[in-house]
Amino acid sequence: MSPELPIIPKNHETPNPVAVLVMGGATIGLLFNFLYFREQFCMIACPYGRFQCVDACDDIMGKIGKPAGLIRYTSQDDLAGLPTRLIRARTVIYPTIISVASVLFWSLSLVSMGAR
């Protein structure tokens, strides 16, 4: 015999106005942040305009007589002339944490399925 499902209330009460205002304000704030500041960053960082890609910046900077390399894929160590390390603490620790958490979650799900 299956357990009883919870009863869904038939009367739909109005939502909490404070929660609606908070969620609406957060949504509007995030949309403004994405739309306005993204446009400003693109216009300041590369004179190509709103829809540039990173590869086009060097060409545009050359056309207007400015030095290339304003936007590039690099690190502070590479700019300082230091050797680049492929194996770092983050490249070892993060996958290890994700792997341990995945195995733990998988093990717990198997245990809970066996308990039923």
Side-chain angles (χ1 to χ4, degrees):
M1 186 164 217
S2 65
E4 294 205 19
L5 296 174
I7 299 171
I8 299 173
K10 303 244 183 212
N11 59 347
H12 300 288
E13 296 180 16
T14 58
N16 185 347
V18 174
V20 170
L21 289 174
V22 168
M23 289 303 294
T27 302
I28 290 170
L30 286 171
L31 285 173
F32 175 75
N33 185 16
F34 176 73
L35 296 172
Y36 179 73
F37 289 115
R38 180 172 178 251
E39 178 180 349
Q40 294 303 311
F41 172 78
C42 289
M43 290 172 54
I44 291 169
C46 186
Y48 181 70
R50 299 178 185 180
F51 300 108
Q52 91 284 347
C53 58
V54 173
D55 299 330
C57 265
D58 286 343
D59 294 336
I60 300 303
M61 294 298 275
K63 289 178 183 178
I64 63 170
K66 301 278 183 176
L70 178 67
I71 297 178
R72 58 183 149 188
Y73 298 109
T74 190
S75 65
Q76 292 292 332
D77 287 345
D78 192 30
L79 290 174
L82 300 173
T84 306
R85 296 178 303 162
L86 193 58
I87 303 296
R88 298 181 303 274
R90 289 182 183 166
T91 59
V92 173
I93 292 172
Y94 290 161
T96 303
I97 290 172
I98 290 171
S99 299
V100 169
S102 298
V103 168
L104 184 64
F105 179 74
W106 179 70
S107 301
L108 289 175
S109 67
L110 287 178
V111 169
S112 69
M113 286 174 47
R116 288 183 186 177

